[in-house]
């Protein structure tokens, strides 16, 4: 019979959560790259922006939660980045910007920083 300590389970849960975050950001990046290839007025761009909005809205909400274990300053910085991504994505959606490269690059930096 297996016995796991609470610390082992908690560590696995944190690792699993980080892995899911990396996977979601990778999917978002892949969708944005595909959209870049066909243009910001394409169905691919609409789907990529919609997915990015869902991911970052959820992340920003989680980062704002008092239960989030990240340091307060890091959480604040990530929230600021998330809000920028959401604003920039809205500008792309509204046709005021075609800055998919910025969305891709910032998302890659955040994804690559998850450890």
């Amino acid at each position: 019979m297996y016995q796991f300590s609470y610390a082992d389970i908690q560590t696995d849960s944190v690792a699993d959560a980080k892995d899911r975050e990396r996977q979601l950001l990778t999917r978002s990046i892949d969708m944005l790259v595909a959209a870049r290839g066909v243009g910001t007025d394409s169905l691919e761009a609409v789907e990529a922006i919609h997915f990015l909005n869902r991911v970052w809205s959820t992340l920003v909400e989680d980062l704002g939660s008092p239960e989030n274990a990240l340091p307060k300053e890091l959480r604040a910085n990530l929230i600021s980045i998330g809000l920028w991504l959401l604003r920039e994505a809205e500008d792309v959606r509204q046709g005021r910007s075609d800055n998919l490269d910025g969305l891709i690059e910032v998302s890659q930096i955040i994804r690559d920083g998850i450890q």
Side-chain angles (χ1 to χ4, degrees), residues 1 8 11 15 18-19 29-30 32 35-36 40 43 49 51 57 69 77 79 85 88 103 105:
M1 173 177 275
D8 291 338
T11 301
K18 288 180 179 185
D19 186 51
I29 292 162
D30 291 346
L32 290 165
R36 180 178 58 189
T40 56
L43 177 60
I49 295 300
F51 188 79
S57 293
N77 289 336
I79 288 170
L85 284 162
E88 191 64 30
L103 295 173
E105 290 173 24

Side-chain angles (χ1 to χ4, degrees), residues 14-87:
V14 170
D16 290 344
K18 288 180 179 185
D19 186 51
R20 281 190 302 276
E21 290 170 354
R22 278 191 296 273
Q23 289 175 17
L24 286 169
L25 290 171
T26 297
R27 180 168 180 218
S28 179
I29 292 162
D30 291 346
M31 292 174 78
L32 290 165
V33 168
R36 180 178 58 189
V38 293
T40 56
D41 58 349
S42 66
L43 177 60
E44 288 85 351
V46 170
E47 291 173 342
I49 295 300
H50 179 69
F51 188 79
L52 178 143
N53 280 328
R54 288 180 33 216
V55 169
W56 278 99
S57 293
T58 301
L59 290 174
V60 166
E61 182 179 336
D62 180 64
L63 289 164
S65 169
E67 289 85 32
N68 189 297
L70 290 175
K72 189 173 184 175
E73 185 176 347
L74 176 58
R75 290 174 32 211
N77 289 336
L78 288 170
I79 288 170
S80 294
I81 292 167
L83 293 176
W84 178 86
L85 284 162
L86 292 168
R87 280 191 307 273

